[in-house]
Amino acid sequence: MQKTDPNEAPIDGGAVEVTFSAAVYPDEHQAGVLFGWQKKTLVLTLERPKAASEQQARLN
C-alpha cells in the first residue's frame, strides 16, 4: 500500500461501498424508522480527522 502525505489535498470523486451492521435496542418508534432504512442507499461525506489540538478544544 502506498503511503500518502496527510497534508496533501484530498482527491475529489471516486466511490467506495461499505457494509456494516450495528447492535441497537430501539424503542417502538425508532424500530419503525430503522426498518425503513433497511436496504436503502445512504450518502455519507467523509472528512479528514481534525488535528488533536482541535479535537481537544472541542471537548473543553
Side-chain angles (χ1 to χ4, degrees), residues 17-38:
E17 184 174 324
V18 178
T19 302
F20 68 94
S21 59
V24 296
Y25 304 97
D27 62 27
E28 187 175 332
H29 173 73
Q30 293 168 330
V33 173
L34 291 171
F35 181 78
W37 285 353
Q38 288 182 359

Side-chain angles (χ1 to χ4, degrees), residues 4-15:
T4 58
D5 180 352
N7 297 317
E8 204 172 286
I11 299 172
D12 288 334

